[in-house]
Amino acid sequence: MDFGFQLKLRGSDFNGHFTNGLSMADSQSVRMGKKIYEDDDKAVFESDLYRATAYHIKKSDVYECYTVVENISDRDFTLDMLASFCIKNIDADKIHRATSFWAAEGKLLSQNLYEMNMEKSWSGHGARIEKFGQVGSMPVRKWFPFVALENSKTNEFIGVQLYCASSWQIELFRCSEPLTLAGGLADFDYGHWCRIVKAGEKFTSPRATVAVGNSLNDVCDKLVKFQSPKISRVDEDMPVVFNEYCTTWGNPTMENIERIAKKNQRQRYQISCS
């Protein structure tokens, strides 16, 4: 996997390609950072103003990602964007996301990237951007902080879960090169986030986890299991419990509970086969 980094200092140029107001990715701040060190767990990029350490630490079946930015100059600067993770050179043709509204939580949305105009332009100019997230203190609102990309020809999947208890964003973008996927704190344009980093100070992004696999279920299983849910021994053999809340709307008859349960079973089977 090709990990990179994304950040933008206030005052630096945008990427061009008509991205102003849409994306702060691949800004002048990124272009002036030169890679000075790399090992299995991290890559270090440095400019005259900052040192950015992009961590991608392999833990069991996932990579744990976060970025540490240090101000190595003699003056303060303002971060207008900082990504927790950045994965470059992705070959994919489908995107999977989970939507969320009240009483409609966790609906799977699977889309063809080419139908979303995410293909390279004929000239390689003009960025293609799909950016989503949420603004405010609710980490899950309209979107879950999750995304998976699929290469349907090779059955390769990349799944990402972002741990950010504030405004966040995930974006998929490309110009002439293959796809890049990045995400973290909502940037200044999207969520009005910024951070002054004083000379000599460091700032650490929220963390994200990344998994690869051969199916959507596979990467989701790895991401969830990495959370190491603590299940009491007395609950290990508990049967599946049907959650009636906001389902039968005060009319929990045997007939409609059975109908809803069968529908959920069919949906899970369809997802596992997709």
Side-chain angles (χ1 to χ4, degrees), residues 201-218:
E201 283 188 344
K202 295 181 180 180
F203 180 76
T204 302
S205 75
R207 66 191 181 102
T209 50
V210 179
V212 295
N214 55 20
S215 71
L216 183 58
N217 277 0
D218 187 21

Side-chain angles (χ1 to χ4, degrees), residues 247-263:
T247 304
T248 64
W249 298 105
N251 184 30
T253 66
M254 189 65 186
E255 289 75 16
N256 63 15
I257 289 178
E258 184 178 13
R259 177 175 54 82
I260 294 167
K262 286 181 178 179
K263 183 176 181 180

Side-chain angles (χ1 to χ4, degrees), residues 116-129:
M116 299 167 64
N117 293 325
M118 289 299 296
E119 79 282 0
K120 180 180 78 71
S121 71
W122 64 270
S123 64
H125 185 68
R128 303 295 194 251
I129 301 166

Side-chain angles (χ1 to χ4, degrees), residues 54-256:
Y55 289 89
H56 42 268
I57 305 169
K58 187 70 182 296
K59 294 185 176 181
S60 184
D61 289 330
V62 307
Y63 293 90
E64 186 174 43
C65 301
Y66 59 95
T67 304
V68 179
V69 177
E70 180 182 1
N71 186 338
I72 60 174
S73 72
D74 57 0
R75 63 182 188 274
D76 302 350
F77 61 64
T78 300
L79 279 172
D80 278 342
M81 187 271 273
L82 176 64
S84 300
F85 71 92
C86 176
I87 308 168
K88 303 163 61 180
N89 296 314
I90 300 172
D91 186 7
D93 59 340
K94 292 182 180 179
I95 182 172
H96 305 278
R97 294 177 283 184
T99 64
S100 181
F101 289 97
W102 185 84
E105 297 90 349
K107 281 190 173 183
L108 179 65
L109 176 63
S110 300
Q111 295 171 286
N112 185 298
L113 289 175
Y114 300 105
E115 293 177 355
M116 299 167 64
N117 293 325
M118 289 299 296
E119 79 282 0
K120 180 180 78 71
S121 71
W122 64 270
S123 64
H125 185 68
R128 303 295 194 251
I129 301 166
E130 177 64 20
K131 186 174 181 178
F132 67 100
Q134 77 84 31
V135 176
S137 60
M138 298 173 66
V140 178
R141 186 171 65 168
K142 186 175 180 181
W143 299 105
F144 279 70
F146 159 83
V147 66
L149 298 179
E150 174 186 354
N151 183 329
S152 62
K153 295 180 181 178
T154 62
N155 288 324
E156 293 176 307
F157 288 75
I158 297 175
V160 180
Q161 184 168 358
L162 180 62
Y163 293 82
C164 188
S166 62
S167 302
W168 59 267
Q169 68 182 41
I170 293 175
E171 60 178 313
L172 182 67
F173 57 91
R174 74 181 307 166
C175 288
S176 58
E177 67 280 353
L179 294 160
T180 295
L181 180 67
L185 292 157
D187 63 33
F188 190 75
D189 280 345
Y190 188 77
H192 214 64
W193 176 87
C194 62
R195 171 75 182 218
I196 296 174
V197 183
K198 297 182 181 296
E201 283 188 344
K202 295 181 180 180
F203 180 76
T204 302
S205 75
R207 66 191 181 102
T209 50
V210 179
V212 295
N214 55 20
S215 71
L216 183 58
N217 277 0
D218 187 21
V219 293
C220 289
D221 184 62
K222 291 174 181 177
L223 292 172
V224 171
K225 284 182 176 176
F226 182 71
Q227 299 176 22
S228 300
K230 295 180 180 179
I231 301 174
S232 172
R233 287 186 177 180
V234 298
D235 294 334
E236 286 181 350
D237 298 323
M238 289 284 286
V240 175
V241 178
F242 180 79
N243 184 359
E244 197 275 330
Y245 176 71
C246 287
T247 304
T248 64
W249 298 105
N251 184 30
T253 66
M254 189 65 186
E255 289 75 16
N256 63 15

